[in-house]
Amino acid sequence: MARLIHLNGLSRTGKSTLARRYADEHPGTLALDLDVLTGLIGGWKENFFEALEIARGHGRDMAARHLRDGHDVILPQLVTVHDRDPDPAFEAVAVATGATY
């Protein structure tokens, strides 16, 4: 059964590094770094939070496809009290695709 693994933690503690390492050691796993996706959206420096919301949408779509194909997804994402709870839409993606969260 595919898994969506959400790594939450303080900035600069190695979440992305750990996610890449996990993916390297588990072939087929997608290390889904929303910060990387955000940086691919034009204007992200001027309006980070708007770009992040766009990236979250793309990330959910990518995660759903990968999980449906039977592969794990590891998501390094800082979630604070100012954010939504660990983006419930990602948990919903896992449930909808029959994966664990």
Side-chain angles (χ1 to χ4, degrees):
M1 174 180 283
R3 298 175 292 177
L4 194 155
I5 303 165
H6 187 157
L7 297 178
N8 187 28
L10 299 174
S11 295
R12 305 198 50 82
T13 58
K15 295 180 301 296
S16 296
T17 300
L18 183 60
R20 284 190 304 273
R21 182 175 177 187
Y22 181 90
D24 286 346
E25 294 173 0
H26 296 84
T29 297
L30 172 64
L32 181 56
D33 192 329
L34 296 181
D35 289 342
V36 171
L37 283 180
T38 300
L40 298 175
I41 297 169
W44 73 272
K45 289 181 183 178
E46 292 76 28
N47 196 338
F48 175 78
F49 291 105
E50 182 178 320
L52 178 59
E53 280 305 306
I54 294 168
R56 282 179 173 161
H58 291 311
R60 288 187 296 269
D61 293 343
M62 291 173 68
R65 181 177 179 157
H66 212 70
L67 293 166
R68 270 195 308 272
D69 288 345
H71 301 288
D72 290 350
V73 174
I74 187 161
L75 176 69
Q77 181 190 30
L78 169 64
V79 177
T80 69
V81 295
H82 301 293
D83 293 311
R84 295 169 285 189
D85 290 330
D87 194 341
F90 278 98
E91 184 174 4
V93 165
V95 170
T97 60
T100 60
Y101 180 81

